[in-house]
Amino acid sequence: MNLDLRTNAQLQIKIYRNIKNVKNLKQKLISGELKCCMIKPSLIYDPFQIAVAANKALASAKLITKTIFSEILFNLSVSKHITRSLQTFGIDDNDENILVVTISQNGEDNSESVYSQIDGEEVELSQLKNLSDLDNIKNVYKISEKESLTIPLIDSIVSRIATKDFLSH
Amino acid sequence: MEGFELIKQGAEAKLYKGIYLGKPTLAKERFVKEYRHESLDSFLTKERMKAESRAIVRCKACGIRTPALYLVDFKRRIIFMEYFEHSITLKDFIESCSSPQVLESISFEVGKMLGAMHESNIMHGDLTSSNILLVNRDDVQKFDDVSELYLVFIDFGLAQFDGSAEDKGVDLYVLERALNSTHSVANKIFPKIIEGYRESYTVGCKEIFSKYEEVRARGRKRTMVG
Ligand SMILES: Nc1ncnc2c1ncn2[C@@H]1O[C@H](COP(=O)(O)OP(=O)(O)OP(=O)(O)O)[C@@H](O)[C@H]1O
Ligand SMILES: [Mg+2]
């Protein structure tokens, strides 16, 4: 998917299940060897949620966190607390399913080198709906019953992401 | 604005329509006011953009539909938000509607939402029939069956959140004036809006109505004199 034209960037999102080497992947994420963002699918309702968070990261002049990938995790969260945000949306050692987000920019794309290190099975992105945990999502984004009754969940989520830097949610 | 087409040039902002992140999007770009000092101008613009976004998000929290926000870019002075392709303004709807019952029921709904908005201390600031949209739920360009439509509030650039009874009264008065100057059937619509408002805003709306009457009396006097 194309992000804001000014960023010259595209986003790729894939889902993997039954991952055998999460611990190893996590280490490589921390060391910076893996140039991607790995997210808990249970907290993602729709890929568009990631698009809005990634676009915000790429469109902003300066990053709050260290890398563009941690910035995506941070933007996904409505908390202004960096460590807590990365913990909430990032993967744990005992996660079996993960969303992998890579960015190609100015024609440069290294997503294949990321995918080759994942020991697990890729499934269709449409499988996401079986992995998202709606109650937990509403909880994390502080969406009340009243709101979710009439407002499409994705609208509530992306509008909070878009305003997290200047509103408290 | 590459990939976007200009659809409206207002007093404060230019509105563009295009596809952004794969979705139909409205980009609202506030332009620089040359007569203002540069840093004051960007400060005021940023404050307006924050107020507009805050109102949009807070309306959702009380169950009122508003455009979804995609990106708030203070540097470019643009808010990227959901564009409702299959929509008509309440203004056009009222003008083309021939059924008094339909007008009454829509007006009642508008009033209910307005009551909920005020109860949550959100003052729209620029209530007119062009700042309310009716959107078809099934993504078709058809507006003759109310049961297929939902209401969306837009254009919160003048929103406020202090929530005094006076401000709420003014909000109502602004709407009444706007309806009176736009629609010959205004006298059928506004009372229904107030009826809906009373139904949803149950506690504390008495004071608002007395402020509204005060503001209205002042407004009348002003128009009689001037
Ligand atoms: N999100 C949207 N989806 C569809 N149409 C929209 C949207 N936002 C605005 N419009 C259309 O554009 C018109 C003007 O929008 P808006 O009120 O936000 O701008 P404005 O510059 O403040 O205009 P005005 O001065 O007339 O109030 C609306 O009356 C409506 O017809
Ligand atoms: Mg308007």
Side-chain angles (χ1 to χ4, degrees), chain B residues 126 130-131 155:
Chain B
D126 188 17
S130 321
N131 287 338
D155 197 4

mmCIF file with all atom_site columns, all heavy atoms in Angstrom, chain B residues 126 130-131 155, ligand 2:
data_model
loop_
_atom_site.group_PDB
_atom_site.id
_atom_site.type_symbol
_atom_site.label_atom_id
_atom_site.label_alt_id
_atom_site.label_comp_id
_atom_site.label_asym_id
_atom_site.label_entity_id
_atom_site.label_seq_id
_atom_site.pdbx_PDB_ins_code
_atom_site.Cartn_x
_atom_site.Cartn_y
_atom_site.Cartn_z
_atom_site.occupancy
_atom_site.B_iso_or_equiv
_atom_site.pdbx_formal_charge
_atom_site.auth_seq_id
_atom_site.auth_comp_id
_atom_site.auth_asym_id
_atom_site.auth_atom_id
_atom_site.pdbx_PDB_model_num
ATOM   1  N  N   . ASP B 1 126 ? -20.236 26.531 14.808 1.00 0.00 ? 126 ASP B N   1
ATOM   2  C  CA  . ASP B 1 126 ? -20.656 27.007 13.485 1.00 0.00 ? 126 ASP B CA  1
ATOM   3  C  C   . ASP B 1 126 ? -21.769 26.104 12.947 1.00 0.00 ? 126 ASP B C   1
ATOM   4  O  O   . ASP B 1 126 ? -21.658 25.520 11.866 1.00 0.00 ? 126 ASP B O   1
ATOM   5  C  CB  . ASP B 1 126 ? -19.444 27.007 12.536 1.00 0.00 ? 126 ASP B CB  1
ATOM   6  C  CG  . ASP B 1 126 ? -19.744 27.666 11.188 1.00 0.00 ? 126 ASP B CG  1
ATOM   7  O  OD1 . ASP B 1 126 ? -20.749 28.405 11.096 1.00 0.00 ? 126 ASP B OD1 1
ATOM   8  O  OD2 . ASP B 1 126 ? -18.977 27.436 10.232 1.00 0.00 ? 126 ASP B OD2 1
ATOM   9  N  N   . SER B 1 130 ? -25.306 23.338 6.338  1.00 0.00 ? 130 SER B N   1
ATOM   10 C  CA  . SER B 1 130 ? -24.248 22.816 5.438  1.00 0.00 ? 130 SER B CA  1
ATOM   11 C  C   . SER B 1 130 ? -23.196 22.056 6.210  1.00 0.00 ? 130 SER B C   1
ATOM   12 O  O   . SER B 1 130 ? -22.347 21.401 5.609  1.00 0.00 ? 130 SER B O   1
ATOM   13 C  CB  . SER B 1 130 ? -23.502 23.929 4.699  1.00 0.00 ? 130 SER B CB  1
ATOM   14 O  OG  . SER B 1 130 ? -24.348 24.927 4.307  1.00 0.00 ? 130 SER B OG  1
ATOM   15 N  N   . ASN B 1 131 ? -23.221 22.179 7.537  1.00 0.00 ? 131 ASN B N   1
ATOM   16 C  CA  . ASN B 1 131 ? -22.211 21.487 8.333  1.00 0.00 ? 131 ASN B CA  1
ATOM   17 C  C   . ASN B 1 131 ? -22.743 20.191 8.939  1.00 0.00 ? 131 ASN B C   1
ATOM   18 O  O   . ASN B 1 131 ? -22.146 19.633 9.860  1.00 0.00 ? 131 ASN B O   1
ATOM   19 C  CB  . ASN B 1 131 ? -21.644 22.417 9.403  1.00 0.00 ? 131 ASN B CB  1
ATOM   20 C  CG  . ASN B 1 131 ? -20.727 23.466 8.785  1.00 0.00 ? 131 ASN B CG  1
ATOM   21 O  OD1 . ASN B 1 131 ? -20.217 23.264 7.690  1.00 0.00 ? 131 ASN B OD1 1
ATOM   22 N  ND2 . ASN B 1 131 ? -20.536 24.576 9.470  1.00 0.00 ? 131 ASN B ND2 1
ATOM   23 N  N   . ASP B 1 155 ? -17.012 20.080 10.047 1.00 0.00 ? 155 ASP B N   1
ATOM   24 C  CA  . ASP B 1 155 ? -16.564 21.474 10.132 1.00 0.00 ? 155 ASP B CA  1
ATOM   25 C  C   . ASP B 1 155 ? -16.546 22.009 11.578 1.00 0.00 ? 155 ASP B C   1
ATOM   26 O  O   . ASP B 1 155 ? -17.260 22.948 11.914 1.00 0.00 ? 155 ASP B O   1
ATOM   27 C  CB  . ASP B 1 155 ? -17.466 22.348 9.235  1.00 0.00 ? 155 ASP B CB  1
ATOM   28 C  CG  . ASP B 1 155 ? -16.840 23.703 8.947  1.00 0.00 ? 155 ASP B CG  1
ATOM   29 O  OD1 . ASP B 1 155 ? -15.689 23.928 9.371  1.00 0.00 ? 155 ASP B OD1 1
ATOM   30 O  OD2 . ASP B 1 155 ? -17.505 24.548 8.332  1.00 0.00 ? 155 ASP B OD2 1
HETATM 31 MG MG  . MG  C 2 .   ? -18.968 24.478 6.572  1.00 0.00 ? 2   MG  C MG  1
#
